[in-house]
């Protein structure tokens, strides 16, 4: 048994190195993928325009995609651990609908309303999305009356998501001028990520990773059941509330910078579990790195497939992620039917 645990730990370390190597390779490729091709990379030293394209557009976008994916992968691992459900999505607490409503309201006020005061304009769409996502999570906690009951928390998240989604649709119906701008947010894009957003996501990711790693023992205890976790001396209510706060912070930051990008947070922990069996302290890191590589690869494909035009990265992740989950369900059904026949 100890040999198996040692082998799994060594395998986890190996995958950490592989994912970091893939990230480094993705950054190099991302510096050359665009409407003007790889020649900008080779001409960057001598051409100021090429240097500006590589340094100010491609590099922050590529690193921003990696960081947004890292935040989504981390959030997915936290959500699935907290709810003890491998199909739990990090958007379950209503953060996606809250962010959409925040952006829709901000766009409506910026464009046509006299209520667009100076402080609201300074808040910007990024701040509106973050406040909407955080507000949705707080509303979910309020309706669920805390974090003690997982089922009540899930139901409250579904209700909040439906209601806020309906309010977002109503806002777009009443102010049709925001439809085009909202479309870019709802489809997800890394095209507007600059160095400031990259540094912000890097700082938030470091904080969330440190807190998640320090609280990973709580998630390990929850896998044994709440009663067993409580018998181990874990103070579940405050620790779970802290993890939900970390989840909300990571999701709110990623959504605010890149819009709604589906399936990365759901698929990344699944991929990690199919590769290695480990405790949550390594699972969270591996899921974060896997999500980062997935979103970076999707962003590179979105830029390359129909260049010089590009696909919305959220559409690409939805297609690829949905296809992967369908394949996973099919594989599990086949394995279950084989066991049943035996």
């Amino acid at each position: 048994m100890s040999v198996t645990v040692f082998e799994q730990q060594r395998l986890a370390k190996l995958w950490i190195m592989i994912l970091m190597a893939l990230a480094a390779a993705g950054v190099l490729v991302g510096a050359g993928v665009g409407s003007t091709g790889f020649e900008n990379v080779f001409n960057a030293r001598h051409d100021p325009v090429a240097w500006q394209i590589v340094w100010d557009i491609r590099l922050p976008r590529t690193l921003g995609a990696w960081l947004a994916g890292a935040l989504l992968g981390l959030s997915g691992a936290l959500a699935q651990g907290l709810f003890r459900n491998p199909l739990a999505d990090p958007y379950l607490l209503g953060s996606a609908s809250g962010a959409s409503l925040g952006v829709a309201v901000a766009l409506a006020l910026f464009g046509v309303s006299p209520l667009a005061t100076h402080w609201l304009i300074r808040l910007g769409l990024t701040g509106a999305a973050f406040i909407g996502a955080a507000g949705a999570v707080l509303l979910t906690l309020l309706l669920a009356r805390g974090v003690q009951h997982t089922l009540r928390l899930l139901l409250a998240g579904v209700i909040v998501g439906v209601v806020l989604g309906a309010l977002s649709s109503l806002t777009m119906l009443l102010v049709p001028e925001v439809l085009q701008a909202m479309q870019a947010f709802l489809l997800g894009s890394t095209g507007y990520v600059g160095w400031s957003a990259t540094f912000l996501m890097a700082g938030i990711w470091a904080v969330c990773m440190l807190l998640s790693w320090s609280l990973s023992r709580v998630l390990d205890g929850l896998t044994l059941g709440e009663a067993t976790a409580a018998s181990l001396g874990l103070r579940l209510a405050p620790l779970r509330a802290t993890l939900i706060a970390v989840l909300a912070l990571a999701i709110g930051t990623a959504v605010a910078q890149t819009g709604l990008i589906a399936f990365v947070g759901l698929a990344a922990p699944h991929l990690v579990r199919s590769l290695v069996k480990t405790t949550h302290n390594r699972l969270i890191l591996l899921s974060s790195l896997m999500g980062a590589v997935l979103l970076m690869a999707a962003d590179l494909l979105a830029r390359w497939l129909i260049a010089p035009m590009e696909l919305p990265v959220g559409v690409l992740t939805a297609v690829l992620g949905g296809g992967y989950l369908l394949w996973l369900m099919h594989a599990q059904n086949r394995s279950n039917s084989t066991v049943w026949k035996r």
Side-chain angles (χ1 to χ4, degrees), residues 111-298:
V112 297
S113 174
L115 298 177
T117 55
H118 181 68
W119 68 267
L120 187 59
I121 294 175
R122 286 180 61 85
L123 177 67
L125 297 181
T126 298
F130 181 81
I131 290 176
V137 174
L138 291 176
L139 182 59
T140 298
L141 294 176
L142 182 63
L143 291 178
R145 298 178 183 177
V147 297
Q148 290 82 4
H149 304 286
T150 302
L151 180 59
R152 184 186 296 173
L153 193 62
L154 286 173
L155 291 175
V158 171
I159 293 171
V160 168
V162 170
V163 172
L164 296 186
L167 291 176
S168 179
S169 300
L170 180 61
T171 303
M172 290 186 284
L173 181 64
L174 294 176
V175 189
E177 292 87 351
V178 307
L179 281 174
Q180 186 174 2
M182 277 298 296
Q183 185 179 17
F185 178 82
L186 294 174
L187 294 178
S189 175
T190 57
Y192 304 104
V193 176
W195 283 117
S196 59
T198 301
F199 291 141
L200 175 64
M201 286 191 287
I204 296 297
W205 177 74
V207 171
C208 292
M209 180 58 66
L210 180 61
L211 291 174
S212 301
W213 182 82
S214 63
L215 296 173
S216 59
R217 183 168 172 262
V218 180
L219 299 176
D220 290 334
L222 285 174
T223 59
L224 305 175
E226 294 190 9
T228 304
S231 67
L232 294 174
L234 298 175
R235 299 176 59 191
L236 291 182
L239 293 175
R240 187 182 288 168
T242 304
L243 285 171
I244 289 177
V246 174
L247 172 63
L249 179 61
I251 282 292
T253 303
V255 169
Q257 303 299 332
T258 60
L260 301 183
I261 295 178
F263 282 105
V264 172
L266 180 60
H270 273 280
L271 281 171
V272 171
R273 291 191 187 96
S274 67
L275 296 172
V276 61
K277 306 297 181 184
T278 185
T279 54
H280 276 89
N281 59 348
R282 289 189 175 89
L283 177 65
I284 291 172
L285 176 59
L286 283 167
S287 298
S288 183
L289 295 177
M290 181 66 74
V293 170
L294 288 177
L295 186 52
M296 178 187 286

Side-chain angles (χ1 to χ4, degrees), residues 1 4 7 20 29 50 61 100 104 122 145 169 185 187 217 227 248 286 333:
M1 183 67 178
T4 303
E7 289 178 350
M20 293 299 294
V29 175
R61 175 175 181 170
S100 299
R122 286 180 61 85
R145 298 178 183 177
S169 300
F185 178 82
L187 294 178
R217 183 168 172 262
L286 283 167
N333 289 335

